[in-house]
Every structure is written in structure tokens, then in C-alpha cells.
Amino acid sequence: MSKNYKIGVIKGDGIGPEIVDEAIKVLDSVAAKFDFNIEYKEFLLGGAAIDEVGVPLPEETLNGVKKVDAVLFGAIGGPKWDNLPRELRPETGLLGLRKELETFANLRPAVVYDELVNASTLKPEVIKGVDIMVVRELTGGIYFGEPREYTPQRAYNTMVYTREEIKRIAKVAFDIAMKRDKRVTSVDKANVLEVSQLWREVVQEVSKDYPEVELNHMYVDNAAMQLIREPKQFDVIVTGNIFGDILSDAASMLSGSIGLLPSASIGSKVGIYEPIHGSAPDIAGQGIANPIATIASAAMMLKYGLNELEAAKAIENAIKAVLADGYRTKDISAYDAKEIVTTTEMGSIIANYVSKA
Ligand code: NAD
């Protein structure tokens, strides 16, 4: 009997609905090919929720996402809601959702597609073949540590990690490495920070359960430099919240195009799978948004959320093949385009490649 999955769908604002529709098209095509069923349940979040029910994170969404296997998310926000008080703004809804689902690990792949090596600001020979996964701790560290205080004369924050918090993020990183090239680089600042000393100790301990995975440690300043100097040396990078925030943005720009990169936020409950870009209100409704980041997020959902590894691979291969054959949305049209296509055309072409393969 074929498997059934329930997917929560949050389209959001701006280009959100356009790009999520294309990811669903591709998911349907991969489900048919690999003989499983997907049932979609739509939820409101962000600006769309504010317009409809007056709050960015409705109760129905909060309760509903607990009953699905994974959440596929577009993007939220836009100028229409920028002047609302903080608790009513679209991003407050997304932060609330992440908190509710306790998504403590943020996965950000940085992949450079061969056909788009010229989209990067770095030299092609440096970035060709780059395939990095940054695993960032998302719910602890200095952004949340107590005590914290601001006064006009003196202000401070606290960088704190417990053994348990480090252990669970390290496990995520090693599990992912097992599905990849089996190499983990743990990034810290253990030469000056006690919290990094503990980080290093615990990562080392966790690594004993993964004898096949090669572990090395790197200080964050060196890691920033190495990412630009020789990015191909990395497979999985695991790091704390603030270091990961900075390094994942730097790593994502190796590929040079924001419309291509997916992400996942996972924890012990349901994971959220979304493109790294925002709702791009400047191009919403024009049919020119690149849906590939969202389609690649759907592939991450299959891989890390549903353990449908072959189906995930089929989507990844289809994206590569479509780019190799020269199909480009407007944002990447400057790089070896043979045909410029719209958002929906790109979704349909990738879905067809999946079924044909
Ligand atoms: P953005 O990522 O939406 O857009 C930055 C630039 O990249 C724009 O020029 C846009 O047109 C382009 N772009 C983004 N995605 C694209 C795609 N798929 N295809 C082609 N071009 C694409 O960032 P921004 O302009 O700073 O923010 C716009 C809104 O999105 C804001 O309201 C912001 O708060 C929100 N935002 C939401 C999320 C999220 O939902 N996770 C993340 C970041 C920003």
C-alpha cells in the first residue's frame, strides 16, 4: 500500500503563492512517480492572515501545523504591513511558528550549479562544485541568552549554551553528514569563549557515535576566510546561532542567486521548509519569480522530513538538468540562457523532467 503524507502549506505574501504553487506541481509529479500520496492543508500566516483574520499567526494555523508531517512555506511580509506594531507584523507570525514547532536547527545548503558559476562574484574555479550544508543552532546562544540589558551607558547580552542544546544540534549535523560526504566542521571561538569550549567538548563527544564521520574544528574568523578562499573544503558546517547567522549568509552568496537556495528549520516536531529569500513584493504578480528555491525546499522536505530520499534526489536532478538545458527565469537570464521562462513554465518544466527521468 502506498504511503500517505499530510503537508501543511503556507503560501504567505508577495511571490509566496506563485512559487509555492510550482513546488506543489513538482511534488505531485514526484509523488506519482514514486507511488506515495500527498494531502495538502493550507494555513494562513503573515500579511495574508492579518488581512483575513486580524493576526499574523491565527490559532487555526498553530493547531493545524501540529497535525501534519511537514510544513512547506513560501514567504511573508511586504510594505502593506510595515507600519503595524511589532506584535502584529508578519514576521512575528513566522517567529511564533518556529517557536511553537521548536525548530532548533536551521539547515542552509549552499550549492553552486555548474551552469551558473558565472553568477557568483568569486572566480569559477573557486566555486565550481561547491556543495556545503550549514547547520545553524537556531533557538539558543546570544540572541536568546539571559541576562540581557540595555542602558544608554552600558548594554550587554549573554552567550549561553547548555550541554543538551549542543548535543542535539551536533547530532543533527552528524546525521546529515552521514547522508552526504561524511565530513563535519564545527565552528566556534574556543580560544576566547568558555561557551565555545563546552561546544567543542560536546561536539567531540557526539562524534564518537559517528566513527565514519571525519570531524575538524575551526575558529569562526578562520571559517569566514576559508569560505571565501577555498569553499570546496567544506561538507557540513555546524555552528551556534550568531556565527551561523553570519556564515550561512556568506555561504549562500557563493552561488550568487537568491532565487535558487532552499532551507529547512527542523527540531523534534514538524519541520518548516522554505526558500531563503523573502516575499519579493517588487516582482509579485508578474510571473517572473524564480520558483527553484521553493522547489528545492520541497526536495529538502522529502529528504529530511519524510525520508523519501529517492524522490528528493529526483527533484534535485531535475533542477540540475533543467538548468543544464538552458531554461532560465529572468533573475538568472544573464547566464547561458537558451530560453527565458515564466514562474509557472519553470515549475511545469521541472515537473516534466521529474516524470520523464
Ligand atoms: P527579498 O528576498 O524578498 O528580495 C530581495 C531581492 O531579491 C528583490 O529584488 C527580489 O525581487 C529578489 N528576489 C527574491 N526572491 C526572488 C525569486 N524567487 N526570484 C527572483 N527574484 C527574487 O528581500 P527584501 O526585499 O529585503 O524583503 C521583502 C519582504 O520579504 C519584506 O517584507 C521582508 O520582511 C520579507 N522577508 C521575508 C522572509 C521570510 O518570509 N522568511 C525572509 C526575508 C524577508
Side-chain angles (χ1 to χ4, degrees):
M1 216 183 69
S2 53
K3 284 190 197 150
N4 283 297
Y5 298 111
K6 279 203 183 98
I7 303 299
V9 173
I10 298 175
K11 294 184 179 177
D13 310 317
I15 59 170
E18 302 166 50
I19 52 178
V20 171
D21 283 346
E22 298 317 306
I24 290 177
K25 205 186 263 176
V26 175
L27 278 171
D28 284 342
S29 135
V30 87
K33 189 178 173 80
F34 290 90
D35 198 27
F36 54 83
N37 299 310
I38 302 181
E39 193 187 314
Y40 303 98
K41 177 104 180 72
E42 244 187 83
F43 299 106
L44 289 171
L45 188 89
I50 297 168
D51 287 353
E52 191 94 359
V53 294
V55 289
L57 178 54
E59 277 295 310
E60 205 187 327
T61 302
L62 260 188
N63 295 328
V65 293
K66 290 179 196 153
K67 298 182 197 127
V68 295
D69 297 309
V71 174
L72 181 65
F73 179 78
I76 48 152
K80 184 176 174 192
W81 306 281
D82 274 353
N83 296 322
L84 291 171
R86 179 152 296 280
E87 68 280 9
L88 278 182
R89 288 172 58 118
E91 49 273 40
T92 306
L94 181 56
L95 291 177
L97 182 73
R98 287 182 180 150
K99 185 156 182 251
E100 187 65 28
L101 295 177
E102 292 168 34
T103 52
F104 62 82
N106 185 234
L107 317 185
R108 289 262 300 253
V111 177
V112 176
Y113 295 103
D114 283 358
E115 296 69 28
L116 299 178
V117 284
N118 293 320
S120 175
T121 50
L122 297 188
K123 289 187 184 132
E125 62 267 30
V126 174
I127 54 140
K128 191 162 187 277
V130 160
D131 182 358
I132 304 171
M133 175 69 85
V134 181
V135 178
R136 166 189 169 193
E137 202 288 329
L138 201 58
T139 52
I142 196 163
Y143 293 162
F144 297 96
E146 297 285 346
R148 57 197 295 159
E149 191 179 25
Y150 168 86
T151 71
Q153 300 313 324
R154 185 169 178 269
Y156 59 87
N157 292 87
T158 304
M159 190 156 171
V160 54
Y161 272 117
T162 64
R163 177 167 284 274
E164 211 36 56
E165 282 175 318
I166 304 168
K167 208 166 156 181
R168 65 183 189 177
I169 190 76
K171 276 186 176 165
V172 169
F174 282 99
D175 283 338
I176 287 172
M178 286 299 288
K179 292 181 181 173
R180 295 172 48 99
D181 201 31
K182 300 194 173 75
R183 291 182 293 120
V184 169
T185 302
S186 171
V187 172
D188 61 35
K189 191 72 184 167
N191 49 344
V192 264
L193 298 175
E194 281 76 5
V195 60
S196 284
Q197 235 172 288
L198 180 66
W199 179 279
R200 208 172 257 226
E201 237 171 78
V202 177
V203 171
Q204 196 86 43
E205 267 169 40
V206 172
S207 78
K208 292 192 183 120
D209 294 332
Y210 298 85
E212 285 175 59
V213 179
E214 185 189 309
L215 168 69
N216 74 315
H217 302 275
M218 202 176 266
Y219 297 137
V220 62
D221 40 353
N222 185 27
M225 187 177 84
Q226 295 298 336
L227 262 180
I228 309 302
R229 196 184 74 89
E230 199 199 336
K232 272 180 266 193
Q233 70 185 284
F234 296 106
D235 178 25
V236 175
I237 294 176
V238 62
T239 189
N241 206 342
I242 189 167
F243 299 156
D245 192 3
I246 299 161
L247 291 183
S248 62
D249 263 24
S252 68
M253 276 304 100
L254 296 171
S255 88
S257 176
I258 196 166
L260 294 173
L261 293 173
S263 80
S265 299
I266 60 173
S268 36
K269 299 178 181 171
V270 171
I272 307 170
Y273 300 84
E274 57 176 309
I276 69 161
H277 59 73
S279 59
D282 54 332
I283 58 164
Q286 297 177 26
I288 55 171
N290 189 341
I292 291 182
T294 316
I295 294 169
S297 303
M300 285 189 86
M301 180 176 84
L302 292 168
K303 189 167 180 179
Y304 299 109
L306 310 178
N307 211 28
E308 290 286 350
L309 304 185
E310 271 185 80
K313 194 87 209 145
I315 296 183
E316 288 166 8
N317 288 342
I319 293 173
K320 279 188 197 141
V322 164
L323 291 174
D325 287 348
Y327 294 103
R328 303 279 186 269
T329 41
K330 190 169 172 245
D331 55 315
I332 48 172
S333 58
Y335 312 105
D336 298 328
K338 293 211 181 72
E339 192 176 336
I340 314 258
V341 297
T342 64
T343 308
T344 49
E345 283 166 348
M346 183 58 103
S348 302
I349 295 166
I350 295 174
N352 282 339
Y353 272 55
V354 165
S355 1
K356 271 190 336 208

PDB file of all heavy atoms in Angstrom, residues 145-158:
ATOM      1  N   GLY A 145      20.034  34.503  25.108  1.00  0.00           N
ATOM      2  CA  GLY A 145      20.614  34.308  26.440  1.00  0.00           C
ATOM      3  C   GLY A 145      20.202  35.381  27.436  1.00  0.00           C
ATOM      4  O   GLY A 145      20.093  36.564  27.098  1.00  0.00           O
ATOM      5  N   GLU A 146      20.004  34.961  28.690  1.00  0.00           N
ATOM      6  CA  GLU A 146      19.712  35.883  29.782  1.00  0.00           C
ATOM      7  C   GLU A 146      20.876  35.830  30.771  1.00  0.00           C
ATOM      8  O   GLU A 146      21.470  34.763  30.929  1.00  0.00           O
ATOM      9  CB  GLU A 146      18.415  35.463  30.496  1.00  0.00           C
ATOM     10  CG  GLU A 146      17.169  35.508  29.637  1.00  0.00           C
ATOM     11  CD  GLU A 146      16.643  36.923  29.368  1.00  0.00           C
ATOM     12  OE1 GLU A 146      17.084  37.874  30.058  1.00  0.00           O
ATOM     13  OE2 GLU A 146      15.811  37.067  28.471  1.00  0.00           O
ATOM     14  N   PRO A 147      21.212  36.911  31.474  1.00  0.00           N
ATOM     15  CA  PRO A 147      20.556  38.212  31.391  1.00  0.00           C
ATOM     16  C   PRO A 147      20.971  39.022  30.160  1.00  0.00           C
ATOM     17  O   PRO A 147      22.012  38.760  29.567  1.00  0.00           O
ATOM     18  CB  PRO A 147      21.037  38.902  32.670  1.00  0.00           C
ATOM     19  CG  PRO A 147      22.371  38.286  32.950  1.00  0.00           C
ATOM     20  CD  PRO A 147      22.289  36.868  32.475  1.00  0.00           C
ATOM     21  N   ARG A 148      20.148  39.983  29.841  1.00  0.00           N
ATOM     22  CA  ARG A 148      20.441  40.929  28.778  1.00  0.00           C
ATOM     23  C   ARG A 148      19.902  42.279  29.210  1.00  0.00           C
ATOM     24  O   ARG A 148      18.890  42.361  29.906  1.00  0.00           O
ATOM     25  CB  ARG A 148      19.796  40.482  27.466  1.00  0.00           C
ATOM     26  CG  ARG A 148      18.282  40.299  27.577  1.00  0.00           C
ATOM     27  CD  ARG A 148      17.703  39.491  26.445  1.00  0.00           C
ATOM     28  NE  ARG A 148      17.832  40.166  25.171  1.00  0.00           N
ATOM     29  CZ  ARG A 148      17.789  39.528  23.981  1.00  0.00           C
ATOM     30  NH1 ARG A 148      17.612  38.206  23.940  1.00  0.00           N
ATOM     31  NH2 ARG A 148      17.914  40.185  22.865  1.00  0.00           N
ATOM     32  N   GLU A 149      20.567  43.330  28.835  1.00  0.00           N
ATOM     33  CA  GLU A 149      20.084  44.643  29.266  1.00  0.00           C
ATOM     34  C   GLU A 149      20.623  45.742  28.373  1.00  0.00           C
ATOM     35  O   GLU A 149      21.736  45.661  27.856  1.00  0.00           O
ATOM     36  CB  GLU A 149      20.518  44.906  30.714  1.00  0.00           C
ATOM     37  CG  GLU A 149      19.823  46.121  31.285  1.00  0.00           C
ATOM     38  CD  GLU A 149      20.203  46.424  32.730  1.00  0.00           C
ATOM     39  OE1 GLU A 149      21.309  46.037  33.173  1.00  0.00           O
ATOM     40  OE2 GLU A 149      19.374  47.064  33.401  1.00  0.00           O
ATOM     41  N   TYR A 150      19.774  46.765  28.222  1.00  0.00           N
ATOM     42  CA  TYR A 150      20.236  47.969  27.536  1.00  0.00           C
ATOM     43  C   TYR A 150      20.084  49.157  28.469  1.00  0.00           C
ATOM     44  O   TYR A 150      19.011  49.346  29.061  1.00  0.00           O
ATOM     45  CB  TYR A 150      19.397  48.215  26.264  1.00  0.00           C
ATOM     46  CG  TYR A 150      19.651  49.589  25.686  1.00  0.00           C
ATOM     47  CD1 TYR A 150      20.710  49.793  24.820  1.00  0.00           C
ATOM     48  CD2 TYR A 150      18.863  50.683  26.060  1.00  0.00           C
ATOM     49  CE1 TYR A 150      20.983  51.054  24.317  1.00  0.00           C
ATOM     50  CE2 TYR A 150      19.127  51.943  25.567  1.00  0.00           C
ATOM     51  CZ  TYR A 150      20.188  52.137  24.701  1.00  0.00           C
ATOM     52  OH  TYR A 150      20.457  53.377  24.224  1.00  0.00           O
ATOM     53  N   THR A 151      21.143  49.903  28.663  1.00  0.00           N
ATOM     54  CA  THR A 151      21.010  51.240  29.250  1.00  0.00           C
ATOM     55  C   THR A 151      21.829  52.155  28.350  1.00  0.00           C
ATOM     56  O   THR A 151      22.722  51.672  27.630  1.00  0.00           O
ATOM     57  CB  THR A 151      21.557  51.320  30.702  1.00  0.00           C
ATOM     58  OG1 THR A 151      22.981  51.240  30.634  1.00  0.00           O
ATOM     59  CG2 THR A 151      20.999  50.231  31.601  1.00  0.00           C
ATOM     60  N   PRO A 152      21.566  53.450  28.372  1.00  0.00           N
ATOM     61  CA  PRO A 152      22.307  54.340  27.463  1.00  0.00           C
ATOM     62  C   PRO A 152      23.824  54.310  27.699  1.00  0.00           C
ATOM     63  O   PRO A 152      24.598  54.624  26.809  1.00  0.00           O
ATOM     64  CB  PRO A 152      21.728  55.723  27.757  1.00  0.00           C
ATOM     65  CG  PRO A 152      20.389  55.464  28.363  1.00  0.00           C
ATOM     66  CD  PRO A 152      20.500  54.167  29.098  1.00  0.00           C
ATOM     67  N   GLN A 153      24.266  53.905  28.893  1.00  0.00           N
ATOM     68  CA  GLN A 153      25.704  53.903  29.189  1.00  0.00           C
ATOM     69  C   GLN A 153      26.346  52.538  29.007  1.00  0.00           C
ATOM     70  O   GLN A 153      27.540  52.436  28.729  1.00  0.00           O
ATOM     71  CB  GLN A 153      25.962  54.373  30.638  1.00  0.00           C
ATOM     72  CG  GLN A 153      25.458  55.765  30.935  1.00  0.00           C
ATOM     73  CD  GLN A 153      25.849  56.779  29.861  1.00  0.00           C
ATOM     74  OE1 GLN A 153      26.933  56.718  29.273  1.00  0.00           O
ATOM     75  NE2 GLN A 153      24.940  57.703  29.559  1.00  0.00           N
ATOM     76  N   ARG A 154      25.552  51.463  29.208  1.00  0.00           N
ATOM     77  CA  ARG A 154      26.140  50.128  29.187  1.00  0.00           C
ATOM     78  C   ARG A 154      25.067  49.136  28.750  1.00  0.00           C
ATOM     79  O   ARG A 154      23.929  49.231  29.201  1.00  0.00           O
ATOM     80  CB  ARG A 154      26.614  49.806  30.603  1.00  0.00           C
ATOM     81  CG  ARG A 154      27.359  48.517  30.730  1.00  0.00           C
ATOM     82  CD  ARG A 154      28.018  48.428  32.112  1.00  0.00           C
ATOM     83  NE  ARG A 154      28.707  47.155  32.255  1.00  0.00           N
ATOM     84  CZ  ARG A 154      28.159  46.063  32.747  1.00  0.00           C
ATOM     85  NH1 ARG A 154      26.925  46.088  33.195  1.00  0.00           N
ATOM     86  NH2 ARG A 154      28.849  44.939  32.817  1.00  0.00           N
ATOM     87  N   ALA A 155      25.423  48.251  27.865  1.00  0.00           N
ATOM     88  CA  ALA A 155      24.447  47.259  27.412  1.00  0.00           C
ATOM     89  C   ALA A 155      25.150  45.922  27.282  1.00  0.00           C
ATOM     90  O   ALA A 155      26.364  45.882  27.041  1.00  0.00           O
ATOM     91  CB  ALA A 155      23.857  47.677  26.074  1.00  0.00           C
ATOM     92  N   TYR A 156      24.433  44.828  27.473  1.00  0.00           N
ATOM     93  CA  TYR A 156      25.082  43.526  27.322  1.00  0.00           C
ATOM     94  C   TYR A 156      24.088  42.438  26.940  1.00  0.00           C
ATOM     95  O   TYR A 156      22.882  42.550  27.141  1.00  0.00           O
ATOM     96  CB  TYR A 156      25.822  43.116  28.605  1.00  0.00           C
ATOM     97  CG  TYR A 156      24.930  43.034  29.809  1.00  0.00           C
ATOM     98  CD1 TYR A 156      24.223  41.871  30.115  1.00  0.00           C
ATOM     99  CD2 TYR A 156      24.777  44.136  30.640  1.00  0.00           C
ATOM    100  CE1 TYR A 156      23.399  41.814  31.220  1.00  0.00           C
ATOM    101  CE2 TYR A 156      23.945  44.087  31.752  1.00  0.00           C
ATOM    102  CZ  TYR A 156      23.253  42.925  32.034  1.00  0.00           C
ATOM    103  OH  TYR A 156      22.418  42.876  33.103  1.00  0.00           O
ATOM    104  N   ASN A 157      24.640  41.361  26.368  1.00  0.00           N
ATOM    105  CA  ASN A 157      23.899  40.133  26.083  1.00  0.00           C
ATOM    106  C   ASN A 157      24.708  38.973  26.610  1.00  0.00           C
ATOM    107  O   ASN A 157      25.883  39.135  26.923  1.00  0.00           O
ATOM    108  CB  ASN A 157      23.681  40.000  24.579  1.00  0.00           C
ATOM    109  CG  ASN A 157      22.735  41.064  24.069  1.00  0.00           C
ATOM    110  OD1 ASN A 157      23.162  42.167  23.744  1.00  0.00           O
ATOM    111  ND2 ASN A 157      21.475  40.746  24.027  1.00  0.00           N
ATOM    112  N   THR A 158      24.088  37.819  26.678  1.00  0.00           N
ATOM    113  CA  THR A 158      24.770  36.664  27.257  1.00  0.00           C
ATOM    114  C   THR A 158      24.771  35.515  26.255  1.00  0.00           C
ATOM    115  O   THR A 158      23.725  35.143  25.738  1.00  0.00           O
ATOM    116  CB  THR A 158      24.030  36.203  28.536  1.00  0.00           C
ATOM    117  OG1 THR A 158      23.950  37.315  29.418  1.00  0.00           O
ATOM    118  CG2 THR A 158      24.763  35.060  29.207  1.00  0.00           C
TER     119      THR A 158
END
